[in-house]
Amino acid sequence: MKKIATVVLSLVVMTGTLFAKENLKVKFGQNSKTFTMVTLDNPTANQIVHDVGNQSWNLPIYDFDNYTGWEYFQYYDISRRYKYESNPVKVTEAKAGEVYYSHPNRIILFYHDAKVNMQLTKIGDIQATPEFIKAVEDNPALEYWGNKIVTISK
C-alpha cells in the first residue's frame, strides 16, 4: 500500500494535476462508442461529476463545423438550474481531448489541437485517439430534432 501511495503522490508532484475519484462516460450520438473523461480534482469538475449523478445528461452540441478555422471544438450548454464556481485562467493552447468549463454553464471540448484566447477552467481529458476524433466529427444529427447530441453519464 505504501508503494502505491508513493507512486500516486509522485505522479501528482510530477504532473501538478490531481484527478477526481470518479470519471465520466461520454457518447457522441445515440450509437457512439463510450469514451472516458478523466476528471480533474477541482471544485468545478467535482460539482459537475456530482450533478451528473446517476442519470445521464443529454446535451445539444453547438459546433463551428461550417466556420473556416473554427473546426477544433464543440460546446455543450448545461441547464441553468445548476450553479458552478470556477477559477478560469487564460488558455492560449488547447490539445485534442481537453475538456473545459466556461461561464456560464458551458462545457467546451477540443477535438483538435488549437491556438485560442479564452478564459477557461479545465475539468478533464478524453484520450484523443483517431476513434474519438472520428466519433466527434461523424456524430449525426438526431432525426426529427436536427441537432447533434452528447451524452454524459457516470
Side-chain angles (χ1 to χ4, degrees):
M1 182 68 172
K2 194 174 195 177
K3 287 183 181 181
I4 292 172
T6 303
V7 170
V8 171
L9 182 57
S10 297
L11 180 62
V12 169
V13 170
M14 287 177 2
T15 65
T17 304
L18 290 175
F19 293 92
K21 292 179 184 177
E22 293 188 71
N23 294 324
L24 294 175
K25 298 174 189 171
V26 181
K27 289 178 66 173
F28 302 95
Q30 295 176 320
N31 299 318
S32 166
K33 174 186 174 187
T34 300
F35 297 90
T36 300
M37 179 170 75
V38 177
T39 57
L40 299 183
D41 187 12
N42 64 46
T44 308
N46 291 336
Q47 188 62 45
I48 288 171
V49 169
H50 174 268
D51 290 344
V52 169
N54 294 321
Q55 57 187 334
S56 296
W57 279 356
N58 292 306
L59 305 174
I61 295 174
Y62 302 94
D63 61 45
F64 296 93
D65 290 346
N66 297 322
Y67 296 89
T68 303
W70 288 87
E71 306 93 343
Y72 50 81
F73 77 97
Q74 299 179 333
Y75 68 89
Y76 324 119
D77 283 339
I78 303 169
S79 171
R80 299 286 187 254
R81 73 177 181 207
Y82 299 107
K83 303 291 181 211
Y84 298 101
E85 291 183 28
S86 64
N87 188 18
V89 296
K90 184 176 182 176
V91 176
T92 58
E93 288 187 34
K95 299 289 182 198
E98 292 183 339
V99 185
Y100 292 88
Y101 172 82
S102 173
H103 182 76
N105 286 30
R106 185 166 285 163
I107 294 174
I108 297 178
L109 166 72
F110 287 89
Y111 58 97
H112 290 291
D113 294 353
K115 296 209 181 293
V116 296
N117 185 14
M118 301 175 165
Q119 294 289 321
L120 303 169
T121 302
K122 189 168 182 186
I123 59 171
D125 291 287
I126 299 173
Q127 187 176 5
T129 63
E131 188 176 30
F132 158 75
I133 294 167
K134 183 171 175 40
V136 174
E137 292 179 336
D138 293 348
N139 182 359
L142 289 176
E143 189 176 4
Y144 305 113
W145 193 20
N147 210 352
K148 297 177 183 181
I149 195 164
V150 64
T151 301
I152 302 173
S153 62
K154 281 191 183 177

